Amino acid sequence: MASKLALASSLALPNSPHRMPQLGFGVYKSPVDKCVASVLQALRTGYRHIDTAQLYANEAEVGKAVRESGFPRAELFVTTKILHSQTSFDQTFAQCAASVEAMGLDYVDLFLIHAPLEGPERLAQTWRALEKLREQGRTRHIGVSNFGIAQIERLREKADLWPPQVNQLELHPWCQQREIVAYCNKHGIAVQAYSPLVRGRKFADATLTSIAEKYSVSPAQILIRYSLQKGWSPLPKSDTLERIDMNADVYGFEIKSGDMEALDELDEGKRGAIVIAVNNAV
C-alpha cells in the first residue's frame, strides 16, 4: 500500500459512500490574521482536507479560505469539533449548527466530539446533536477525538449511527496508542493523527535524524510519511508557507520496513503523549 501513496490518496469511512483525503492540514493555534493565507497556501499545494475546531477560534477564517479558494466545494474535506456541550439538547445542537454557519458553508464534511471531557449522558446528548446535524445534511460524517475503547462502546448504547466514522488521536512514533488504533481498525473507524510532528520536540532524536538523513528529507517529512504508511490520516500544521509545501512533499520516497520498525520501537506508551493518550478502560 505504501508504495502507491499519493497526494490524492484517501481513506474509506464506515457507513458512507464518501472518502476522506488522507493528508490533512491542521490549523490549531493558527492566528486569525494568518489562517486564511495558510489554508489557501495548503489548498494550492494540494491538500484537500482542512481540520479546525470551535476551540481554535478560526472556523470563520477556514470557511473564508474554502470559499475564496476557487476549488469546487465537493473536492474539499472540512472538519470541525465541539469540545463542551450546552445544558440542553437544543442548545447543544444550536452550538454545532453555529459552527457551520460561522464558516459560511452549506455543510462540513466531518464533525467531531473534541474530547470526552463530560459525563456519559452529556456525551450521548452531544452525539445525538451530531446525528441530527447529519440527518439535516449540515455534516456528512460524525466522529470522536481522544476517545478510548470504553467510551466508544458506551456510545453504542445511545447511538443511531455507530461506530463513529472517525477517531482523531495523538499519534506519532513516541505515542502510538496501539490498543485503540487496533480497535478502530477492527471496527472500520478511520484514524486521524494529530500532532504527528510532536510539535517539533523530537526533531533532534537520533533515530529520527538518522533515518531522515538516509532518505535525504527532513525529520518532519519522515514523521508525516510514517503516519501515512501506518494508514493514519496525519494533520500537520504550520503557518510558514515553505513548511506547508514541504510537509506535503512526502510522496517521492517510501520508508523501508526496517526503518518503520525502528520508528515503531520509539513508542513510549502514554508517557510519550504531549497532549493526551486515551483511557481505554473508563
Side-chain angles (χ1 to χ4, degrees), residues 174-188:
W174 297 269
C175 181
Q176 296 173 37
Q177 306 215 61
R178 296 176 183 179
E179 186 177 3
I180 183 60
V181 169
Y183 172 90
C184 290
N185 290 341
K186 176 182 177 180
H187 291 282

Side-chain angles (χ1 to χ4, degrees), residues 249-269:
D249 185 15
V250 292
Y251 299 98
F253 67 100
E254 177 184 353
I255 304 174
K256 295 181 180 178
S257 60
D259 295 322
M260 287 292 290
E261 291 169 6
L263 292 169
D264 284 342
E265 290 173 2
L266 296 175
D267 193 18
E268 298 175 356

Side-chain angles (χ1 to χ4, degrees), residues 75 90 158 190 199 238 246 275:
E75 294 182 6
D90 289 341
K158 306 284 186 178
R199 298 180 181 171
S238 179
M246 183 178 294
V275 181

